[in-house]
Amino acid sequence: MTEWTLSWQTVAPGIWRLKAGRPSTLSPASVMNRTPKTAALQSMGETEFPFDAADVKIERVGGRIVVALPLGSEESLYGLGLQLLKLNHRGRTRYLRVNSDPKQDTGETHAPVPFYVSSRGYGVYADTSRIVTLCCGSSVRADSGLSGNAKDRNRDSSWKATPVSDRVEITVADEGVDVYVFAGPTPLDAVRRYNLYFGGGALPPRWGLGFWHRVPKSYSADEVRAEAAAFRERGIPCDVIGLEPGWHTRSYPVTYEWNRELFPDPEQFVRDLEKDGFKINLWEHPYVSPDAAIYEALRPLSGSHTVWHGLAPDYTLPEAQAIYMEQHEREHVKIGVSGYKLDECDGSELTRNSWMFPAHASFPSGCDGEQLRQLYGLLLQKMTDDLYRSHNRRTYGLVRASAGAASSLPYVLYSDLYDHRDYVRALCNSGFSGLLWTPEVRKARSSEDWVRRMQTVCFSPLAMLNAWADGTKPWSFPEVEPIVTRYIRLRMQLLPYLYSTFANYWAEGVPPVRAMALEAGVSVRVQAGSGRFDSDEFAYGGAADKEWDDQFMFGDSLLVAPLFEGETGRTVYLPQGGWYDFDTGEHFEGGRTINVQPGLEKIPVFVKDGAVIPMMAAMDHAPRTGEKIDLELHHYGTSPGMFRLFDDDGETIAYERGEYRWRTVEVTVDTEGRKSGSVSDTEASWSSAFGDFVWVFH
Amino acid sequence: MTEWTLSWQTVAPGIWRLKAGRPSTLSPASVMNRTPKTAALQSMGETEFPFDAADVKIERVGGRIVVALPLGSEESLYGLGLQLLKLNHRGRTRYLRVNSDPKQDTGETHAPVPFYVSSRGYGVYADTSRIVTLCCGSSVRADSGLSGNAKDRNRDSSWKATPVSDRVEITVADEGVDVYVFAGPTPLDAVRRYNLYFGGGALPPRWGLGFWHRVPKSYSADEVRAEAAAFRERGIPCDVIGLEPGWHTRSYPVTYEWNRELFPDPEQFVRDLEKDGFKINLWEHPYVSPDAAIYEALRPLSGSHTVWHGLAPDYTLPEAQAIYMEQHEREHVKIGVSGYKLDECDGSELTRNSWMFPAHASFPSGCDGEQLRQLYGLLLQKMTDDLYRSHNRRTYGLVRASAGAASSLPYVLYSDLYDHRDYVRALCNSGFSGLLWTPEVRKARSSEDWVRRMQTVCFSPLAMLNAWADGTKPWSFPEVEPIVTRYIRLRMQLLPYLYSTFANYWAEGVPPVRAMALEAGVSVRVQAGSGRFDSDEFAYGGAADKEWDDQFMFGDSLLVAPLFEGETGRTVYLPQGGWYDFDTGEHFEGGRTINVQPGLEKIPVFVKDGAVIPMMAAMDHAPRTGEKIDLELHHYGTSPGMFRLFDDDGETIAYERGEYRWRTVEVTVDTEGRKSGSVSDTEASWSSAFGDFVWVFH
């Protein structure tokens, strides 16, 4: 039996919490205040504490609380929020400060989440409003007994710049921190428990999973209408049009009020576009202009420092929330605006320009700038989501900062950085931390770059062209317009698959897009190697461990392996089992890597043997509530298969009150290889979203 | 009269100290514990407090102490330690954490010095062992009255990512901090007061100002002897040879003990090289190998965490210092080793590899890892310098980390980074902070790059080729060997000028190498402009203010304007007054910029009208104590001139007991333009370092 030296409390099956020191009451978990999805957690079952609890130590050093946890020599450590630059953090110290310009691989990010997932199949989360530093096996204690492992760098080629450690050390400059442990047995189970404990995953409205387009920042209503019409004329699906700063009377700082010169009748504008199947999404940021009507009311509820001379309201205060929400409800939500792009809530004072309120800013609630910076994105998501929920509507939007405990929020992260490989790496790692990410397309160096980026974004949580600065359109590179159009249409065809995949995120905590390290049958071999050692750049060499950070699962059955500008081929790792090329049907046996040369017209996508992929027609926009969807049910390979099809209205939050059904789509294969498919019925009174089903066997 | 709301104490003429909160007793000033150079400070005179002391506010916010100081809208702010990436910090938040890999412009650096110098002519220093964050006009308080300056970014092109602020805010996560204010009236005066208060500038031995060469890391004694002989054969001056890790029995971590396989008789080796005019410098770092004889003694005096499995001794403890110093004295100093290269005392846990002890490490003295990291470089410099002083010898060496209050330490900073422009920028800015810096040469992409780097390094505090990794020699690019040799010989010819320049650093606090912003007659025009704004990289634009960060003063009379690989010409800013091309004698009128196209064989150097430059023959190595130096005294231009020639033994610390003379070298010009020069005598009993003087009038 384990000796319990510290008081771990079982908070749900397979989830334990330790109050280290005296944790502050302000934290991501307290901001979110979600009810755990207890039934789903219970169905995952009880399990053992995943490591020896006696190995956990807590101490205070110089104003910091330090939580030390055991670490095996072969463990890889994933997660820690939206990390653009690294997948496996083993051997690195990570400094989880929110940073709007995370160019360097320090752990700083738009969305710091102090939750790591071990390849051994457990997770650890530190719930705090403060910056967390994690030594992920990068620190070695003198009392560890490892000092005998010292090596002579001059004569021993096995010397490493970061020696192997037996500890993770989590530090927070605060009085305390809540530490949670999530059991496995697999890494995916640990992630699911984390998501379910914090309320499950987000379920977007169906229209949120269509194609999005953001127009240039100073577009007028008429220009927007014309751009919308152009999509319809060209037969390019589009569900959401995003307006950028110019819709405000003033921006940087903002008013949240409609610029009547550009939008003389916002209500009519939104209604007209709705009629044509377009939702309107509004850009904003948190800094309130002196010209805003709500400025005076918010002034006493705001911080000691301004941003661009605008207020930084203290949205931990219910009074401040009420002012913001009332204004947004009246001027946006009630006239039909579908949601927001919450920009610049990720300010770091250390970016290339310093514009954010400083860490030492003080706020009326008593919190400081460090805390409010770490939580600002979460607070804004929560307020706007609550607002839509109060109208029995779902929203889906964009946000540039997030935090822990955020899986239930219908927001997708984005960045001003723009490296395509980093964007794909973020698709891989966001799923470890209850986050969604879009590799949005803004512009391209070439038609090749354009196609490669467009292909990637169509296999992501939010497929968007963001033309705020550049005015690009899907057809801006005419020579490749057919390829781009094809993928936007494919996105729409896959909507039923993707929507049910998200429903599974909501109900079971399974991330819709995820890294290979979360898949069964994957042996992520960490090939330890020495990096380049070079006296003109970096004298220590780097870690060159190979991780599959350039391919990912899109739902349970599709494996996507993007190509990048300049590449004509790539290596793809296929997990154990049979796989089929999604375009050609070609069969590949998994458990190995293959080389592909797909040509520009194609992004390599592989389907699992036995998979059922429900698809629909490439409509101009997602079906609305009450509109029946006919499905093609595609089955691949020789194994029997099953898909759980989520059936609800697709727009309201009635599903949270039980108004949904899971339809079981099943394929059996008889001894002679003949396939037959079935779809489970619902009760006669149920108003299903689905019409006809047509089977396609591959 | 100023209302003194806080208790500023006058600690020297023109220097005031404020104890904000309860400052810790551990700080750079307490580690250094130098006696201010009171006579020199008194001769600078009393002066007024440089701004309204009533505008200084102190508050505590969330575990931090915040000191707010006034800032005029036109002030530029310089200094803050060794900053490779920016000269003027106005509008930026600077995070002064010691960082071994300071690739990003956040303020992190090998040598954080929380001392800023305003273009208005005053300086402010925060003395603390902790990381300091400075908002250098990057934060705007809501109560500042500036909120009326809000602008609409969409419609107003004068919008700036960082609005103009009226405050500097200094924050430290500690109980308190000592704040010092240094009066001007000029920026140089503020710098001089800072240097003089902390003991004056360092005076290297004469040999330290010759040429240095570091050999590859595994060289044997015989290989070193051969390399030394090659310098002599080619007539390339060389004073110091540096040994890299291989001289230890074990390295990474180190033993400080001679590897007898490579160096069978270290004492004989050092003696032989000394006979040939070479000093030996030894590479080391602070992390003690389990194989070191001093390991067991240091173990109880070391930190909770190891580095490469070596001890990190707590050198704030006198007992730990004694063990280190006794060993170094016995095995290195007593056999004639001249000094050290103190590597890796700048570890940051967030570099591309994490190897340093973490910030939360604990040490026997009670300090934590953050504090010891911030002070480690300072402690090691102080211990080794004290050791040489106790032997009545000067040392001169290299160090990769430093801190505040360090001007008196005979150590020169270097970096593993290698951008030539950044290296020159560091030459400009190190002088603001009591630091010396070498743009060491390691290798080159081309013979052009090689020449340009070699030309720069010969006009720096330490002229060195560091071939530890690459094995390069001054003659590695044979096609340009004559140019490289010429500049190394010119370095030696300028030694009398440079040595007296350093003596002036010691006596008067005037930095030997310095930015244009420290010169009289310079109007540094800050051309505020908008930077590039680009949606694929950075959406806010950048500050594009032009600063003269690519040219510098080398002593009082020489202006050096390096060229960089790929350039055939450049713009040079000449301050008010007459200037002469150092090579051709061509005259230029200052107070303007000029364009030069110097060719690869030349680095542009300009001499002030009236300057006297004492030069000597290009000897193989610097003259030794007692060896008489014949000087050529070069006078330039038409104005009368004066030079204060420092006359001492050049190697011991007798000068600190008054055993030195200033010789006044003077040129008068009569009404017909005829020049005549004179050198002041010393008393007959004085054993001068100088022999004959020959005048050369240009």
Side-chain angles (χ1 to χ4, degrees):
Chain A
M1 287 291 292
T2 306
E3 282 275 306
W4 294 87
T5 54
L6 298 162
S7 172
W8 289 93
Q9 182 195 352
T10 305
V11 293
I15 307 176
W16 299 265
R17 182 175 61 206
L18 173 68
K19 289 199 173 292
R22 287 177 290 119
S24 155
T25 53
L26 181 65
S27 73
S30 75
V31 165
M32 290 307 301
N33 194 28
R34 291 289 199 233
T35 307
K37 291 186 89 74
T38 312
L41 284 166
Q42 271 165 353
S43 75
M44 293 184 72
E46 301 286 341
T47 178
E48 292 278 295
F49 195 80
F51 45 80
D52 188 350
D55 275 354
V56 179
K57 312 277 185 220
I58 293 174
E59 56 179 336
R60 286 200 65 81
V61 180
R64 293 172 191 85
I65 191 145
V66 182
V67 180
L69 301 116
L71 181 65
S73 61
E74 295 309 309
E75 281 178 80
S76 294
L77 300 175
Y78 300 102
L80 303 182
L82 181 76
Q83 296 292 338
L84 291 163
L85 300 167
K86 204 157 192 320
L87 200 61
N88 177 4
H89 304 295
R90 175 73 196 232
R92 297 300 314 275
T93 300
R94 313 273 68 174
Y95 179 60
L96 296 188
R97 179 172 59 187
V98 72
N99 187 335
S100 50
D101 190 28
K103 281 177 77 86
Q104 222 179 2
D105 185 28
T106 60
E108 291 170 77
T109 158
H110 297 285
V113 180
F115 173 50
Y116 65 84
V117 181
S118 165
S119 54
R120 272 201 184 170
Y122 65 90
V124 176
Y125 171 61
D127 189 50
T128 171
S129 59
R130 296 209 171 272
I131 295 165
V132 176
T133 303
L134 292 102
C135 297
C136 299
S138 56
S139 60
V140 178
R141 287 193 60 94
D143 58 12
S144 66
L146 293 167
S147 67
N149 296 347
K151 291 174 175 173
D152 185 350
R153 183 182 179 188
N154 252 26
R155 285 182 289 196
D156 184 343
S157 63
S158 73
W159 181 91
K160 285 247 173 1
T162 304
V164 173
S165 160
D166 58 0
R167 276 279 180 276
V168 171
E169 297 189 299
I170 302 175
T171 73
V172 188
D174 205 346
E175 295 299 305
V177 59
D178 276 324
V179 180
Y180 292 80
V181 169
F182 298 87
T186 68
L188 181 59
D189 291 327
V191 168
R192 288 184 55 207
R193 286 183 207 270
Y194 169 89
N195 291 339
L196 291 170
Y197 184 74
F198 291 116
L203 178 60
R206 276 197 300 249
W207 54 258
L209 302 177
F211 190 75
W212 292 49
H213 181 72
R214 304 199 75 85
V215 298
K217 65 190 165 84
S218 299
Y219 259 29
S220 68
D222 287 345
E223 287 170 303
V224 176
R225 287 177 212 265
E227 190 125 319
F231 273 85
R232 295 291 179 257
E233 281 156 24
R234 290 171 183 265
I236 297 179
C238 184
D239 263 283
V240 183
I241 287 191
L243 307 186
E244 290 284 323
W247 77 267
H248 295 259
T249 51
R250 294 267 188 286
S251 68
Y252 288 89
V254 296
T255 58
Y256 308 120
E257 296 161 24
W258 287 94
N259 179 334
R260 300 276 168 169
E261 289 169 40
L262 297 176
F263 297 89
D265 187 345
E267 193 167 349
Q268 186 68 42
F269 168 77
V270 173
R271 200 181 309 130
D272 288 350
L273 279 153
E274 173 70 51
K275 214 168 0 175
D276 293 333
F278 294 97
K279 303 285 178 185
I280 291 296
N281 176 286
L282 298 179
W283 172 95
E284 64 167 56
H285 69 204
Y287 314 108
V288 181
S289 167
D291 292 314
I294 59 175
Y295 181 84
E296 287 303 330
L298 282 172
R299 190 140 75 151
L301 306 172
S302 295
S304 58
H305 290 69
T306 56
V307 178
W308 296 307
H309 299 305
L311 300 175
D314 184 348
Y315 288 128
T316 68
L317 298 172
E319 313 90 282
Q321 293 183 3
I323 294 165
Y324 171 95
M325 288 169 77
E326 189 281 325
Q327 193 274 345
H328 279 54
E329 180 175 46
R330 177 167 32 82
E331 303 198 24
H332 318 144
V333 178
K334 282 192 173 166
I335 69 168
V337 166
S338 70
Y340 298 96
K341 172 183 169 183
L342 304 169
D343 207 13
E344 287 146 352
C345 41
D346 57 356
S348 158
E349 56 195 337
L350 300 173
T351 55
R352 278 170 282 177
N353 285 298
S354 304
W355 46 263
M356 191 56 169
F357 54 78
H360 66 267
S362 58
F363 289 83
S365 66
C367 74
D368 64 27
E370 174 191 338
Q371 294 174 293
L372 209 66
R373 287 199 316 220
Q374 295 290 102
L375 295 178
Y376 230 26
L378 201 67
L379 288 160
L380 290 156
Q381 291 175 77
K382 182 67 166 38
M383 284 194 293
T384 47
D385 183 45
D386 283 355
L387 191 47
Y388 280 97
R389 285 171 177 269
S390 74
H391 284 254
N392 191 32
R393 285 162 60 188
R394 278 179 243 173
T395 186
Y396 198 45
L398 293 134
V399 69
R400 220 172 67 187
S402 198
S407 57
S408 65
L409 290 165
Y411 277 94
V412 183
L413 290 154
Y414 63 100
S415 178
D416 274 357
L417 301 179
Y418 201 53
D419 183 88
H420 190 189
R421 279 186 186 277
D422 294 348
Y423 271 29
V424 171
R425 190 178 296 107
L427 279 174
C428 296
N429 84 37
S430 48
F432 289 109
S433 305
L435 301 174
L436 301 172
W437 157 258
T438 175
E440 66 168 27
V441 182
R442 294 197 290 272
K443 65 177 189 181
R445 287 181 291 259
S446 64
S447 57
E448 182 195 356
D449 186 34
W450 182 250
V451 166
R452 292 311 187 192
R453 288 176 179 274
M454 276 289 185
Q455 288 168 334
T456 298
V457 84
C458 286
F459 291 93
S460 82
L462 199 152
M464 182 168 73
L465 168 54
N466 178 7
W468 77 275
D470 305 296
T472 45
K473 330 279 178 209
W475 51 91
S476 281
F477 292 82
E479 65 277 27
V480 292
E481 185 185 341
I483 304 176
V484 169
T485 303
R486 181 190 157 215
Y487 277 98
I488 297 175
R489 292 170 66 87
L490 178 59
R491 167 82 179 188
M492 187 57 75
Q493 293 174 276
L494 284 169
L495 192 143
Y497 169 76
L498 184 57
Y499 185 65
S500 288
T501 292
F502 267 96
N504 201 38
Y505 185 34
W506 166 66
E508 302 291 338
V510 180
V513 176
R514 53 191 186 264
M516 302 316 297
L518 286 177
E519 293 311 284
V522 169
S523 59
V524 177
R525 275 177 315 185
V526 177
Q527 297 162 343
S530 289
R532 208 171 58 105
F533 146 67
D534 188 337
S535 79
D536 79 352
E537 242 299 292
F538 193 54
Y540 300 95
D545 301 342
K546 172 68 185 162
E547 295 278 343
W548 296 107
D549 61 356
D550 57 359
Q551 62 175 69
F552 55 88
M553 294 302 298
F554 186 68
D556 288 339
S557 301
L558 298 180
L559 187 159
V560 182
L563 270 81
F564 305 97
E565 190 188 12
E567 289 184 348
T568 54
R570 61 161 290 166
T571 300
V572 182
Y573 172 75
L574 297 176
Q576 291 291 341
W579 293 87
Y580 295 87
D581 184 302
F582 185 59
D583 284 327
T584 65
E586 188 182 355
H587 173 259
F588 296 93
E589 199 48 45
R592 65 194 180 106
T593 60
I594 61 168
N595 291 304
V596 293
Q597 265 84 30
L600 185 59
E601 68 286 358
K602 177 171 163 179
I603 179 172
V605 178
F606 298 89
V607 196
K608 254 187 201 160
D609 182 38
V612 178
I613 311 286
M615 296 175 73
M616 67 175 207
M619 300 163 63
D620 277 350
H621 59 83
R624 295 290 182 257
T625 301
E627 192 176 344
K628 293 276 184 201
I629 316 165
D630 296 333
L631 294 188
E632 275 183 358
L633 300 169
H634 293 257
H635 176 265
Y636 293 81
T638 55
S639 302
M642 204 269 271
F643 187 85
R644 298 207 323 145
L645 187 65
F646 190 71
D647 189 354
D648 83 330
D649 67 36
E651 294 189 15
T652 76
I653 58 165
Y655 71 100
E656 297 218 328
R657 299 185 301 270
E659 294 183 26
Y660 65 89
R661 297 294 180 274
W662 286 106
R663 310 280 295 269
T664 302
V665 179
E666 211 161 5
V667 174
T668 55
V669 184
D670 69 17
T671 50
E672 279 154 45
R674 280 177 306 225
K675 302 177 181 181
S676 62
S678 66
V679 181
S680 67
D681 277 338
T682 57
E683 62 272 38
S685 61
W686 178 252
S687 168
S688 176
F690 301 106
D692 296 333
F693 297 101
V694 177
W695 281 96
V696 184
F697 295 118
H698 299 262
Chain B
M1 286 293 290
T2 305
E3 283 274 306
W4 294 86
T5 54
L6 297 162
S7 172
W8 289 94
Q9 182 194 351
T10 304
V11 294
I15 306 176
W16 300 266
R17 183 176 59 206
L18 173 68
K19 289 199 173 293
R22 288 177 288 116
S24 154
T25 53
L26 181 65
S27 74
S30 76
V31 165
M32 290 307 301
N33 194 27
R34 291 291 199 232
T35 306
K37 291 186 87 80
T38 314
L41 283 167
Q42 272 164 352
S43 76
M44 293 184 73
E46 299 286 340
T47 180
E48 292 279 295
F49 195 79
F51 46 80
D52 188 349
D55 275 353
V56 179
K57 311 278 185 223
I58 293 173
E59 56 180 336
R60 287 200 63 80
V61 180
R64 295 172 190 82
I65 191 144
V66 183
V67 180
L69 302 118
L71 181 66
S73 63
E74 296 308 310
E75 281 178 77
S76 295
L77 301 175
Y78 301 102
L80 302 183
L82 180 78
Q83 297 292 339
L84 290 163
L85 299 167
K86 205 156 192 324
L87 201 60
N88 177 3
H89 304 294
R90 174 76 196 231
R92 296 301 315 274
T93 300
R94 313 272 69 174
Y95 179 60
L96 296 188
R97 178 173 58 187
V98 71
N99 186 336
S100 49
D101 189 29
K103 280 179 78 86
Q104 220 177 3
D105 186 28
T106 60
E108 292 170 75
T109 158
H110 297 285
V113 181
F115 174 51
Y116 65 83
V117 181
S118 165
S119 55
R120 273 201 183 167
Y122 65 89
V124 176
Y125 171 61
D127 189 50
T128 170
S129 59
R130 296 211 171 270
I131 295 165
V132 176
T133 302
L134 292 103
C135 296
C136 298
S138 56
S139 60
V140 178
R141 285 192 60 96
D143 57 12
S144 66
L146 293 168
S147 67
N149 296 346
K151 291 176 175 171
D152 184 353
R153 183 182 180 187
N154 252 25
R155 286 182 290 197
D156 184 343
S157 65
S158 73
W159 180 91
K160 284 247 174 6
T162 304
V164 173
S165 160
D166 58 1
R167 276 279 181 278
V168 171
E169 297 188 300
I170 303 175
T171 72
V172 188
D174 206 347
E175 295 299 306
V177 59
D178 276 325
V179 180
Y180 292 81
V181 168
F182 298 88
T186 69
L188 180 59
D189 290 328
V191 169
R192 288 184 54 209
R193 286 185 208 269
Y194 169 89
N195 292 338
L196 291 170
Y197 184 74
F198 292 115
L203 179 59
R206 277 196 300 251
W207 54 259
L209 302 176
F211 190 75
W212 294 47
H213 181 73
R214 304 198 75 85
V215 296
K217 64 190 164 87
S218 300
Y219 258 31
S220 68
D222 286 345
E223 287 169 305
V224 176
R225 288 178 208 265
E227 190 125 317
F231 273 85
R232 295 291 178 257
E233 280 156 24
R234 288 169 184 266
I236 298 178
C238 185
D239 263 284
V240 183
I241 287 190
L243 307 186
E244 290 284 325
W247 76 266
H248 294 261
T249 50
R250 295 267 187 284
S251 67
Y252 289 86
V254 296
T255 57
Y256 308 120
E257 296 162 24
W258 287 92
N259 178 334
R260 300 278 168 169
E261 288 169 40
L262 296 176
F263 296 90
D265 187 344
E267 192 165 350
Q268 186 66 44
F269 167 78
V270 173
R271 200 183 307 131
D272 288 350
L273 278 154
E274 173 71 52
K275 214 167 358 175
D276 293 334
F278 295 97
K279 303 283 179 186
I280 291 296
N281 176 286
L282 297 180
W283 172 96
E284 64 168 53
H285 68 204
Y287 314 108
V288 181
S289 166
D291 292 315
I294 59 177
Y295 181 84
E296 287 304 330
L298 283 172
R299 188 138 77 153
L301 306 172
S302 295
S304 58
H305 289 69
T306 56
V307 178
W308 296 307
H309 300 304
L311 300 174
D314 184 347
Y315 287 129
T316 68
L317 298 172
E319 313 89 280
Q321 292 183 3
I323 293 166
Y324 171 95
M325 289 169 77
E326 188 280 326
Q327 191 273 346
H328 279 53
E329 179 175 45
R330 178 167 30 82
E331 302 197 25
H332 317 145
V333 178
K334 281 193 173 166
I335 69 168
V337 165
S338 70
Y340 299 95
K341 172 183 170 184
L342 304 168
D343 207 13
E344 285 146 352
C345 41
D346 58 356
S348 156
E349 56 195 338
L350 300 173
T351 55
R352 278 170 282 177
N353 285 299
S354 303
W355 46 261
M356 191 57 169
F357 54 78
H360 66 266
S362 58
F363 288 83
S365 67
C367 74
D368 65 26
E370 174 190 339
Q371 293 174 295
L372 208 65
R373 285 198 317 218
Q374 295 289 101
L375 296 178
Y376 230 26
L378 201 68
L379 287 161
L380 289 157
Q381 290 175 75
K382 181 70 164 39
M383 283 195 293
T384 46
D385 183 44
D386 283 354
L387 191 50
Y388 281 97
R389 286 170 176 270
S390 73
H391 284 254
N392 191 31
R393 285 161 62 186
R394 278 180 244 172
T395 187
Y396 198 46
L398 294 135
V399 69
R400 221 172 67 187
S402 198
S407 57
S408 65
L409 289 166
Y411 277 93
V412 183
L413 289 155
Y414 63 99
S415 178
D416 273 357
L417 300 178
Y418 200 53
D419 183 88
H420 190 189
R421 279 187 186 276
D422 293 346
Y423 271 29
V424 171
R425 189 178 296 107
L427 279 174
C428 295
N429 84 36
S430 49
F432 289 109
S433 305
L435 301 174
L436 302 171
W437 157 257
T438 175
E440 66 169 27
V441 182
R442 294 196 290 272
K443 65 178 189 180
R445 285 181 293 258
S446 65
S447 56
E448 182 195 357
D449 186 35
W450 182 250
V451 166
R452 290 310 186 195
R453 289 177 178 273
M454 276 289 187
Q455 286 168 336
T456 298
V457 83
C458 285
F459 290 93
S460 82
L462 198 152
M464 182 168 71
L465 169 53
N466 178 9
W468 76 276
D470 304 296
T472 44
K473 332 277 177 208
W475 51 91
S476 282
F477 292 82
E479 65 276 27
V480 292
E481 184 184 342
I483 304 176
V484 169
T485 302
R486 179 189 158 217
Y487 278 98
I488 296 175
R489 292 172 64 88
L490 177 58
R491 166 83 180 190
M492 186 57 76
Q493 291 173 279
L494 284 169
L495 193 142
Y497 170 76
L498 184 56
Y499 185 65
S500 288
T501 292
F502 266 96
N504 201 37
Y505 184 35
W506 166 67
E508 301 292 337
V510 179
V513 177
R514 53 191 185 264
M516 301 316 296
L518 286 176
E519 292 311 283
V522 169
S523 59
V524 177
R525 276 177 315 185
V526 178
Q527 299 163 343
S530 292
R532 206 171 60 104
F533 147 65
D534 189 336
S535 78
D536 79 352
E537 243 298 293
F538 192 53
Y540 300 95
D545 300 343
K546 173 67 187 165
E547 294 279 344
W548 297 108
D549 62 355
D550 57 359
Q551 63 176 66
F552 54 89
M553 295 301 298
F554 186 68
D556 287 340
S557 302
L558 299 179
L559 187 159
V560 183
L563 270 80
F564 305 96
E565 190 189 13
E567 288 183 352
T568 55
R570 61 160 290 164
T571 300
V572 182
Y573 173 75
L574 297 176
Q576 292 290 343
W579 293 86
Y580 295 88
D581 184 302
F582 185 60
D583 283 329
T584 65
E586 187 183 355
H587 173 260
F588 298 91
E589 200 48 43
R592 63 190 182 107
T593 59
I594 61 167
N595 292 303
V596 294
Q597 265 83 30
L600 185 59
E601 68 285 358
K602 178 172 164 180
I603 180 173
V605 178
F606 299 89
V607 196
K608 255 186 202 160
D609 182 38
V612 178
I613 311 287
M615 295 174 72
M616 67 175 207
M619 300 163 64
D620 278 347
H621 59 84
R624 296 291 182 256
T625 300
E627 190 175 345
K628 292 276 184 199
I629 315 166
D630 295 334
L631 293 189
E632 275 184 359
L633 300 170
H634 294 257
H635 176 265
Y636 293 82
T638 56
S639 302
M642 201 267 272
F643 187 86
R644 299 208 320 146
L645 188 64
F646 190 71
D647 189 355
D648 82 330
D649 66 38
E651 294 186 18
T652 76
I653 59 166
Y655 71 99
E656 298 220 327
R657 299 184 301 269
E659 293 183 28
Y660 66 88
R661 296 294 179 273
W662 287 107
R663 309 281 295 272
T664 302
V665 179
E666 211 159 7
V667 174
T668 55
V669 184
D670 70 16
T671 50
E672 281 154 43
R674 280 178 306 224
K675 303 177 181 181
S676 61
S678 65
V679 181
S680 67
D681 277 339
T682 56
E683 61 271 39
S685 62
W686 177 252
S687 168
S688 176
F690 301 107
D692 295 335
F693 297 102
V694 177
W695 282 95
V696 184
F697 295 119
H698 299 263

